[in-house]
Structures are given as C-alpha cells and as structure tokens.
Amino acid sequence: MYVTPVDLPTLLNHLFNFAAPALGLALWLTLVARFLGPKPAAGLAWWAQAAINTVVGCTVLGAGLWVLGRDGKMLTYGALVLAMASAQALMRRG
C-alpha cells in the first residue's frame, strides 16, 4: 500500500480537526461548571481543568480511532462525553 506524503499545514489541519471536539467540549465543560456547579474549596484553575479535560478527551478519541478503525463514530463521541464529564466531576469535588 502506497501512502502519499502530507505537507505540514495539511497534517496540522488534520490533527487540529481530530482534537477539536475534545478541545471544544473541554472549554464548554469548564465554563459551565464555573457557573452551575458548587464552588470547590480548593479547586484547580480554569485553564488547568480545560487542559486535563482536553488530554482526557484526546485520549478517548485516540482509543476510539484505534478500536473502531476510523474517527467520527457516535460510540466514540458518547464515550468522549462520559469520560470528560466524569473527569470534570472528579476535579470539582477534589
């Protein structure tokens, strides 16, 4: 199988579009948690929560790509929401 080489801007575009759902959901979760959830006694800064959620989300997206063979499957997005909501809940209680 021959693989066509990809230039750097195209590669970065593909990587950003792969991680965009995790990044968007991480920022949204962090913002909503600040206004709707109870204030934690000693919580992380908003940017640290968003960074942790982004890492969790990209890990789930990568696992979905590896297990299912392609990205963009609804099962992966469901797992993304559950994993990031769980991580956000753990960070708010800690």
Side-chain angles (χ1 to χ4, degrees):
M1 182 166 104
Y2 179 71
V3 178
T4 306
V6 178
D7 59 341
L8 184 61
T10 304
L11 177 66
L12 292 175
N13 185 28
H14 282 288
L15 290 175
F16 176 74
N17 286 324
F18 177 75
L23 180 61
L25 187 57
L27 293 174
W28 184 80
L29 271 174
T30 304
L31 178 69
V32 169
R34 288 180 60 89
F35 292 112
L36 295 182
K39 185 168 175 61
L44 295 170
W46 70 269
W47 54 268
Q49 291 179 18
I52 291 170
N53 279 329
T54 301
V55 170
V56 168
C58 287
T59 303
V60 169
L61 290 175
L65 175 63
W66 181 65
V67 170
L68 300 175
R70 63 177 284 219
D71 64 338
K73 295 274 192 172
M74 290 306 293
L75 181 63
T76 305
Y77 290 142
L80 174 73
V81 170
L82 287 175
M84 290 178 70
S86 299
Q88 183 65 34
L90 287 173
M91 284 187 284
R92 294 295 289 184
R93 292 194 183 134

